[in-house]
Structures are given as structure tokens and as C-alpha cells.
């Protein structure tokens, strides 16, 4: 299927590793011009080189900016004046008992997970509406539906992303601009990879056993019974970014391996 992404300009935030990198890589493979982002100049440059090595004729650039701050967003938008596709992938997570989550923790999570996407959408959405074409995708999580007791602050910000995407979609009525959220489940990202490796070392076992136990005791409702790959999530995201997905708008699309026990 031709996704008709050739020459479309895409910005993927938090894209030096994991799901963000997989999205940027697949967009580049589909012919889009991709702007990658991370906080570290070295990591951004390395990520750009990795994709250029995979696809010799890819159009990939990078901007190092901390988008969890207003200053970082201002820096990026000055360098990237317009995009056709905005993927708000930037996000942080941590396991922490609720009584220990400080005001500073709550503010940090909202700044990074919610306000980064809100600020970028506020800048790019009017431009998309003006030219009557655009795609905005928020990378939320199944944790936005099933708030995890071990990281309530994370889950709340993921719910906020779903609400933000739906609210912004109302502004696109009758246009060729769409705004959706994608909800991955447990995914073998960089952070999860390290978690599994550390658990395996601590238990003196192997990573396969740790993964199996995770889905037995922590995410028992999963139908996939394994961590999804970043590439599996990216496939859904890139489709939603395409011209082919023109009738999908204001939706929360699940790529969570059946963790959520709901028929809608």
C-alpha cells in the first residue's frame, strides 16, 4: 500500500530511541522528510546517522531541544517553521508509590508528557488548518485507560493526552487535518529493555523468564503475552500519519496487545 507520504515533512519528538526512533525510521522509509528530536545533540546526531545508514536516500535531520520546557519548544519551532505531520512521542515514566509523588514530580510529568505536545500543537495546528492538510498523533498508552497503581502520575498524564487529542480534533471538522492518539501497551523500548535485563541479573535468571513472569503477574490480561516491538507500534502510527487514514480522526487507537479488557 502506498501511504502517500513522499515529500511530507514530519517531526517526531523524543525520537532518538525506542518507539520514537521506530516511527521516524518507518516514516523515512515511506519517503517522508523527517526531523528527529532529543535533548542531547550527540544522541540526535547518532539517531540521524543510523537512519541514513539504513536508507541511503532518506531525508532526515535532527534538532536537539528539551521539549519538556517552553524554551526548548521555542528553540525547535524557530528551527522548524512548519510540518505536515507532528508525532508527539516525547514521554517519561517511573514507578513510584503515590504518597511519594511530590508536587515537583507531578509538574515535571505534565510539562514533559502533556505540555510538550500542547505547545507544539498550538504552534503547528493553525498552519496545518491554513493549508488544509496535516496529521497530529499523540503517543499515549494503555495506562491512560488502566491507570497503573505503581505510577499513577504517569497514567494520569496519558489520560490527559487522549483528552487533548480528542479536544483538538474538534477544531479540524470539515478539513483534511486529523488528530488522533495511539495507545501502545508494554513495549520493549530502551527503558523496558534495561528493566528486563536488570531484573534478570538480580534474579539470576534469563530475560525470557522475567518477561513471562511480568505478563503472568503484572499484566495478566495481555493477549499478546510478550512485549510488543517498537516497530509494531510504529506501523500503526505511520498509517495514521498517512493520507490513507483520512477518515480516522479524534480516535484513540490501541496497539496494546489486548491488555485493555474492553470492546471499544
Amino acid at each position: 500500500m502506498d501511504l502517500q507520504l513522499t515529500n511530507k515533512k514530519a517531526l517526531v519528538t523524543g525520537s532518538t530511541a525506542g518507539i520514537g526512533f521506530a516511527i521516524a525510521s518507518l516514516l523515512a522509509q515511506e519517503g517522508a522528510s523527517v526531523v528527529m528530536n532529543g535533548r542531547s545533540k550527540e544522541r540526535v546526531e547518532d539517531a540521524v546517522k543510523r537512519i541514513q545508514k539504513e536508507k541511503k536516500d532518506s531525508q532526515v535531520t535532527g534538532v536537539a531541544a528539551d521539549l519538556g520546557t517552553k524554551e526548548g519548544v521555542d528553540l525547535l519551532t524557530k528551527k522548524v517553521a512548519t510540518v505536515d505531520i507532528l508525532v508527539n512521542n516525547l514521554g517519561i515514566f517511573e514507578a513510584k508509590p503515590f504518597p511519594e509523588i511530590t508536587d515537583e514530580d507531578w509538574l515535571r510529568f505534565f510539562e514533559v508528557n502533556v505540555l510538550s505536545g500542547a505547545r507544539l500543537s498550538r504552534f503547528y495546528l493553525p498552519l496545518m488548518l491554513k493549508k488544509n492538510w496535516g496529521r497530529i498523533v499523540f503517543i499515549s498508552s494503555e495506562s491512560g485507560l488502566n491507570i497503573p497503581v505503581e505510577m499513577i502520575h504517569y497514567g494520569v498524564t496519558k489520560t490527559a493526552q487522549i483528552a487533548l487529542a480528542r479536544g483538538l480534533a474538534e477544531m479540524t471538522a470539515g478539513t483534511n487535518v486529523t488528530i488522533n492518539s495511539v495507545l501502545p501497551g508494554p513495549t520493549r523500548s530502551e527503558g523496558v529493555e534495561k528493566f528486563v535485563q536488570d531484573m534478570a541479573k538480580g534474579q539470576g535468571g534469563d530475560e525470557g523468564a522475567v518477561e513471562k513472569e511480568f505478563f503472568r503477574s503484572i499484566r495478566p490480561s495481555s493477549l499478546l503475552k510478550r512485549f510488543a516491538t517498537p516497530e509494531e507500534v510504529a506501523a500503526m502510527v505511520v498509517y495514521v500519519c498517512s493520507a490513507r487514514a483520512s477518515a480516522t480522526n479524534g480516535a484513540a487507537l490501541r496497539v496494546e496487545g489486548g491488555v485493555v479488557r474492553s470492546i471499544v
Side-chain angles (χ1 to χ4, degrees):
M1 180 185 293
D2 178 8
L3 296 182
Q4 301 174 15
L5 286 168
T6 301
N7 298 324
K8 296 295 186 185
K9 187 172 184 178
L11 167 63
V12 185
T13 68
S15 50
T16 59
I19 292 172
F21 179 84
I23 294 168
S25 178
L26 188 51
L27 282 168
Q29 289 177 42
E30 291 294 327
S33 169
V34 180
V35 180
M36 304 184 73
N37 159 259
R39 289 180 299 174
S40 161
K41 180 180 178 182
E42 292 73 23
R43 281 179 64 96
V44 171
E45 290 177 348
D46 178 67
V48 169
K49 289 176 182 176
R50 286 167 59 196
I51 292 181
Q52 289 174 336
K53 186 177 180 180
E54 291 173 2
K55 191 175 188 298
K56 300 297 184 183
D57 60 344
S58 59
Q59 303 175 61
V60 188
T61 57
V63 177
D66 182 359
L67 301 183
T69 67
K70 182 180 183 300
E71 294 74 18
V73 171
D74 289 343
L75 172 65
L76 184 143
T77 52
K78 284 177 183 177
K79 292 186 175 183
V80 184
T82 183
V83 296
D84 301 297
I85 297 164
L86 169 63
V87 181
N88 290 308
N89 172 73
L90 177 65
I92 56 175
F93 72 95
E94 67 175 347
K96 201 169 194 178
F98 177 73
E100 298 177 16
I101 304 173
T102 65
D103 287 358
E104 290 73 21
D105 290 331
W106 279 103
L107 289 170
R108 180 168 61 94
F109 268 71
F110 266 91
E111 283 273 4
V112 176
N113 291 1
V114 182
L115 281 180
S116 62
R119 287 168 173 149
L120 288 169
S121 300
R122 184 171 59 203
F123 182 86
Y124 290 116
L125 176 56
L127 301 173
M128 293 178 181
L129 292 172
K130 186 175 181 179
K131 65 182 176 184
N132 196 31
W133 203 95
R135 299 285 184 266
I136 298 178
V137 183
F138 287 80
I139 308 304
S140 180
S141 168
E142 55 87 13
S143 293
L145 302 180
N146 291 339
I147 308 296
V149 68
E150 71 274 12
M151 45 183 178
I152 290 173
H153 53 336
Y154 170 76
V156 169
T157 61
K158 292 288 129 175
T159 305
Q161 284 184 310
I162 299 169
L164 177 57
R166 177 65 212 192
L168 291 177
E170 295 294 328
M171 297 175 60
T172 69
T175 74
N176 292 313
V177 179
T178 68
I179 304 177
N180 297 285
S181 53
V182 170
L183 284 57
T187 305
R188 193 175 277 274
S189 62
E190 191 177 50
V192 169
E193 187 76 38
K194 186 177 185 304
F195 163 78
V196 171
Q197 291 172 351
D198 291 346
M199 286 289 290
K201 288 178 183 177
Q203 297 174 2
D206 60 56
E207 294 180 22
V210 170
E211 183 171 1
K212 186 175 181 180
E213 177 58 24
F214 176 87
F215 286 98
R216 188 191 71 81
S217 60
I218 299 178
R219 292 292 186 273
S221 61
S222 170
L223 303 179
L224 193 60
K225 297 300 181 187
R226 64 167 174 81
F227 292 110
T229 67
E231 292 73 21
E232 287 173 317
V233 177
M236 171 68 86
V237 177
V238 172
Y239 167 72
V240 175
C241 290
S242 76
R244 299 291 189 183
S246 55
T248 302
N249 196 7
L253 304 164
R254 290 159 40 185
V255 196
E256 35 69 66
V259 171
V260 179
R261 283 176 168 159
S262 170
I263 60 173
V264 294

